[in-house]
Amino acid sequence: MKLAANCGLCDLLISKAAGIASRFAFRLPDRLLALLAGRPPSVARELAPDAWLLARLTSSSEDGGSAAPTVRSRRMYDLLGDAVAARERSGALTFDRTIAGPAGPVPVRIYRPDPFDGSDGSGGRSGRLPGILYLHGGGWANGSLLSHDRTCRRLARLAGAVVVAVDYRLSPENQWPAGLDDALAAWRDIAARPSMYGVDPSRMGIAGDSAGGNLAAAACIALRQAGEGQPLFQLLLYPALDLVERHPSADSFGQGFRLTDADMDAYKDLYVPPGPKRHDPLVSPLLADDLSGLAPAHVFTALADPLRDEGEFYVRRLRESGVEATLDRIPSIHGWFNMTVMRSSRSGFDQVVSRLRHTFTIAG
């Protein structure tokens, strides 16, 4: 017990040190960051200097794949995720709840803009706000309410919306479709009880980054299959959408840009072992025969990301199916939405917020 406690303290100290170092480093001017990082390869020539510096720093720790997560590795993932998010005034009131899931209670955290700091999108202190169901990334095997807490607070404040984050079950202990089932349970609970969440059900979207983007896209397909209504939008941030085919961006950015090809192979194996299940559109939305009738999409990719093509090909297929879809490519690397200590990430975050506020305004 004492050893475990000491180990936890060490992890906390490591994450704190990483946070302090990153906040100091990424305050430096871009021209100095560019000198420190050097020139990116031609395939990533437009990469932001802070993103390239982070890629250079993290590439030295690439180990050729991700082993099954442990309690400690998950704790470090959460702590480091929190460490690279910008520190700022809260701007959000939080409430922890549980909902009834298919295998037991599912924890959720509700973020509501603080009306006293002027971030309440309704312009008042009461009433129903737009809503966003948020599904965190982490390869379906990592991540929690902690890893994306500051991200969800920032999103609620800047978008003027209620954000409901879902602590869905993780693999390999709970392989597909456990996480998706939890996400759907959360969506249906909000739809059934919008007043409890303080959201306007006609202005409720679903969002996720990376593996969470996969779950968000799959949830829209699952809702269509069940004959249920679609979200106002699906916000997919550098999503993993194809667990079968290899795309050119994996060849270009599968090494040296933080998320590696080997990482993705390992995460896929933990989530859905190789076999016919990977062809299911609820696992690989990009492989769905028909994408018509789905929620309009806002897709954000990263310039130097092995998953870039999956998100951008998905936009093309949605448009071909008659679904409205916007595409924004951020000059960064995988994970930028949760790394707002970087200027380039904050700029990308602002673009996301602009898309959402416009969508909410049109729907209102």
PDB file of all heavy atoms in Angstrom, residues 190-206:
ATOM      1  N   ILE A 190     -29.835  11.708 -22.047  1.00  0.00           N
ATOM      2  CA  ILE A 190     -30.002  13.154 -22.250  1.00  0.00           C
ATOM      3  C   ILE A 190     -31.267  13.423 -23.058  1.00  0.00           C
ATOM      4  O   ILE A 190     -32.040  14.338 -22.750  1.00  0.00           O
ATOM      5  CB  ILE A 190     -28.774  13.752 -22.955  1.00  0.00           C
ATOM      6  CG1 ILE A 190     -27.521  13.561 -22.109  1.00  0.00           C
ATOM      7  CG2 ILE A 190     -28.979  15.239 -23.240  1.00  0.00           C
ATOM      8  CD1 ILE A 190     -26.228  13.904 -22.820  1.00  0.00           C
ATOM      9  N   ALA A 191     -31.484  12.629 -24.109  1.00  0.00           N
ATOM     10  CA  ALA A 191     -32.664  12.821 -24.939  1.00  0.00           C
ATOM     11  C   ALA A 191     -33.946  12.608 -24.154  1.00  0.00           C
ATOM     12  O   ALA A 191     -34.959  13.283 -24.392  1.00  0.00           O
ATOM     13  CB  ALA A 191     -32.617  11.877 -26.144  1.00  0.00           C
ATOM     14  N   ALA A 192     -33.914  11.685 -23.188  1.00  0.00           N
ATOM     15  CA  ALA A 192     -35.109  11.389 -22.396  1.00  0.00           C
ATOM     16  C   ALA A 192     -35.316  12.387 -21.265  1.00  0.00           C
ATOM     17  O   ALA A 192     -36.456  12.594 -20.824  1.00  0.00           O
ATOM     18  CB  ALA A 192     -35.000   9.969 -21.821  1.00  0.00           C
ATOM     19  N   ARG A 193     -34.223  13.007 -20.788  1.00  0.00           N
ATOM     20  CA  ARG A 193     -34.333  13.904 -19.629  1.00  0.00           C
ATOM     21  C   ARG A 193     -33.550  15.193 -19.875  1.00  0.00           C
ATOM     22  O   ARG A 193     -32.667  15.554 -19.097  1.00  0.00           O
ATOM     23  CB  ARG A 193     -33.811  13.222 -18.372  1.00  0.00           C
ATOM     24  CG  ARG A 193     -34.505  11.911 -18.019  1.00  0.00           C
ATOM     25  CD  ARG A 193     -34.033  11.387 -16.671  1.00  0.00           C
ATOM     26  NE  ARG A 193     -32.614  11.082 -16.666  1.00  0.00           N
ATOM     27  CZ  ARG A 193     -31.880  10.968 -15.556  1.00  0.00           C
ATOM     28  NH1 ARG A 193     -32.421  11.204 -14.363  1.00  0.00           N
ATOM     29  NH2 ARG A 193     -30.592  10.646 -15.622  1.00  0.00           N
ATOM     30  N   PRO A 194     -33.852  15.930 -20.925  1.00  0.00           N
ATOM     31  CA  PRO A 194     -33.051  17.136 -21.223  1.00  0.00           C
ATOM     32  C   PRO A 194     -33.121  18.181 -20.115  1.00  0.00           C
ATOM     33  O   PRO A 194     -32.136  18.905 -19.894  1.00  0.00           O
ATOM     34  CB  PRO A 194     -33.673  17.645 -22.525  1.00  0.00           C
ATOM     35  CG  PRO A 194     -35.051  17.081 -22.549  1.00  0.00           C
ATOM     36  CD  PRO A 194     -34.937  15.740 -21.891  1.00  0.00           C
ATOM     37  N   SER A 195     -34.248  18.278 -19.430  1.00  0.00           N
ATOM     38  CA  SER A 195     -34.366  19.305 -18.389  1.00  0.00           C
ATOM     39  C   SER A 195     -33.417  19.023 -17.231  1.00  0.00           C
ATOM     40  O   SER A 195     -32.944  19.956 -16.573  1.00  0.00           O
ATOM     41  CB  SER A 195     -35.806  19.390 -17.890  1.00  0.00           C
ATOM     42  OG  SER A 195     -36.234  18.150 -17.359  1.00  0.00           O
ATOM     43  N   MET A 196     -33.133  17.751 -16.963  1.00  0.00           N
ATOM     44  CA  MET A 196     -32.208  17.422 -15.882  1.00  0.00           C
ATOM     45  C   MET A 196     -30.795  17.921 -16.204  1.00  0.00           C
ATOM     46  O   MET A 196     -30.042  18.322 -15.321  1.00  0.00           O
ATOM     47  CB  MET A 196     -32.188  15.910 -15.647  1.00  0.00           C
ATOM     48  CG  MET A 196     -31.555  15.491 -14.313  1.00  0.00           C
ATOM     49  SD  MET A 196     -29.735  15.462 -14.313  1.00  0.00           S
ATOM     50  CE  MET A 196     -29.416  13.971 -15.258  1.00  0.00           C
ATOM     51  N   TYR A 197     -30.451  17.920 -17.478  1.00  0.00           N
ATOM     52  CA  TYR A 197     -29.133  18.378 -17.908  1.00  0.00           C
ATOM     53  C   TYR A 197     -29.128  19.871 -18.223  1.00  0.00           C
ATOM     54  O   TYR A 197     -28.068  20.461 -18.412  1.00  0.00           O
ATOM     55  CB  TYR A 197     -28.683  17.596 -19.141  1.00  0.00           C
ATOM     56  CG  TYR A 197     -28.406  16.131 -18.879  1.00  0.00           C
ATOM     57  CD1 TYR A 197     -29.422  15.183 -18.976  1.00  0.00           C
ATOM     58  CD2 TYR A 197     -27.132  15.700 -18.530  1.00  0.00           C
ATOM     59  CE1 TYR A 197     -29.172  13.838 -18.745  1.00  0.00           C
ATOM     60  CE2 TYR A 197     -26.867  14.357 -18.288  1.00  0.00           C
ATOM     61  CZ  TYR A 197     -27.895  13.439 -18.391  1.00  0.00           C
ATOM     62  OH  TYR A 197     -27.651  12.107 -18.141  1.00  0.00           O
ATOM     63  N   GLY A 198     -30.299  20.469 -18.319  1.00  0.00           N
ATOM     64  CA  GLY A 198     -30.378  21.882 -18.662  1.00  0.00           C
ATOM     65  C   GLY A 198     -30.047  22.165 -20.104  1.00  0.00           C
ATOM     66  O   GLY A 198     -29.498  23.226 -20.428  1.00  0.00           O
ATOM     67  N   VAL A 199     -30.371  21.214 -21.010  1.00  0.00           N
ATOM     68  CA  VAL A 199     -30.038  21.397 -22.421  1.00  0.00           C
ATOM     69  C   VAL A 199     -31.301  21.519 -23.262  1.00  0.00           C
ATOM     70  O   VAL A 199     -32.373  21.017 -22.905  1.00  0.00           O
ATOM     71  CB  VAL A 199     -29.170  20.229 -22.961  1.00  0.00           C
ATOM     72  CG1 VAL A 199     -27.895  20.095 -22.159  1.00  0.00           C
ATOM     73  CG2 VAL A 199     -29.942  18.925 -22.968  1.00  0.00           C
ATOM     74  N   ASP A 200     -31.152  22.195 -24.365  1.00  0.00           N
ATOM     75  CA  ASP A 200     -32.197  22.285 -25.377  1.00  0.00           C
ATOM     76  C   ASP A 200     -32.040  21.065 -26.282  1.00  0.00           C
ATOM     77  O   ASP A 200     -31.051  20.955 -27.013  1.00  0.00           O
ATOM     78  CB  ASP A 200     -32.003  23.582 -26.175  1.00  0.00           C
ATOM     79  CG  ASP A 200     -32.979  23.720 -27.324  1.00  0.00           C
ATOM     80  OD1 ASP A 200     -33.762  22.789 -27.576  1.00  0.00           O
ATOM     81  OD2 ASP A 200     -32.952  24.773 -27.985  1.00  0.00           O
ATOM     82  N   PRO A 201     -32.970  20.102 -26.261  1.00  0.00           N
ATOM     83  CA  PRO A 201     -32.790  18.864 -27.025  1.00  0.00           C
ATOM     84  C   PRO A 201     -32.696  19.079 -28.531  1.00  0.00           C
ATOM     85  O   PRO A 201     -32.168  18.223 -29.245  1.00  0.00           O
ATOM     86  CB  PRO A 201     -34.026  18.034 -26.647  1.00  0.00           C
ATOM     87  CG  PRO A 201     -35.034  19.026 -26.178  1.00  0.00           C
ATOM     88  CD  PRO A 201     -34.245  20.123 -25.523  1.00  0.00           C
ATOM     89  N   SER A 202     -33.184  20.220 -29.022  1.00  0.00           N
ATOM     90  CA  SER A 202     -33.108  20.496 -30.455  1.00  0.00           C
ATOM     91  C   SER A 202     -31.739  21.046 -30.855  1.00  0.00           C
ATOM     92  O   SER A 202     -31.461  21.196 -32.047  1.00  0.00           O
ATOM     93  CB  SER A 202     -34.200  21.488 -30.866  1.00  0.00           C
ATOM     94  OG  SER A 202     -33.945  22.771 -30.318  1.00  0.00           O
ATOM     95  N   ARG A 203     -30.899  21.343 -29.869  1.00  0.00           N
ATOM     96  CA  ARG A 203     -29.548  21.873 -30.147  1.00  0.00           C
ATOM     97  C   ARG A 203     -28.499  21.040 -29.413  1.00  0.00           C
ATOM     98  O   ARG A 203     -27.644  21.547 -28.722  1.00  0.00           O
ATOM     99  CB  ARG A 203     -29.450  23.337 -29.725  1.00  0.00           C
ATOM    100  CG  ARG A 203     -30.306  24.275 -30.557  1.00  0.00           C
ATOM    101  CD  ARG A 203     -29.960  25.729 -30.268  1.00  0.00           C
ATOM    102  NE  ARG A 203     -30.322  26.104 -28.891  1.00  0.00           N
ATOM    103  CZ  ARG A 203     -29.830  27.159 -28.257  1.00  0.00           C
ATOM    104  NH1 ARG A 203     -28.919  27.928 -28.846  1.00  0.00           N
ATOM    105  NH2 ARG A 203     -30.225  27.450 -27.032  1.00  0.00           N
ATOM    106  N   MET A 204     -28.578  19.732 -29.607  1.00  0.00           N
ATOM    107  CA  MET A 204     -27.681  18.804 -28.929  1.00  0.00           C
ATOM    108  C   MET A 204     -26.868  18.031 -29.962  1.00  0.00           C
ATOM    109  O   MET A 204     -27.425  17.389 -30.862  1.00  0.00           O
ATOM    110  CB  MET A 204     -28.496  17.822 -28.079  1.00  0.00           C
ATOM    111  CG  MET A 204     -27.654  16.880 -27.250  1.00  0.00           C
ATOM    112  SD  MET A 204     -26.902  17.704 -25.822  1.00  0.00           S
ATOM    113  CE  MET A 204     -25.756  16.436 -25.279  1.00  0.00           C
ATOM    114  N   GLY A 205     -25.545  18.121 -29.848  1.00  0.00           N
ATOM    115  CA  GLY A 205     -24.663  17.403 -30.753  1.00  0.00           C
ATOM    116  C   GLY A 205     -23.810  16.398 -30.014  1.00  0.00           C
ATOM    117  O   GLY A 205     -23.801  16.334 -28.778  1.00  0.00           O
ATOM    118  N   ILE A 206     -23.062  15.612 -30.786  1.00  0.00           N
ATOM    119  CA  ILE A 206     -22.170  14.606 -30.217  1.00  0.00           C
ATOM    120  C   ILE A 206     -20.765  14.850 -30.749  1.00  0.00           C
ATOM    121  O   ILE A 206     -20.592  15.229 -31.913  1.00  0.00           O
ATOM    122  CB  ILE A 206     -22.664  13.178 -30.548  1.00  0.00           C
ATOM    123  CG1 ILE A 206     -21.874  12.115 -29.784  1.00  0.00           C
ATOM    124  CG2 ILE A 206     -22.629  12.919 -32.065  1.00  0.00           C
ATOM    125  CD1 ILE A 206     -22.483  10.722 -29.850  1.00  0.00           C
TER     126      ILE A 206
END
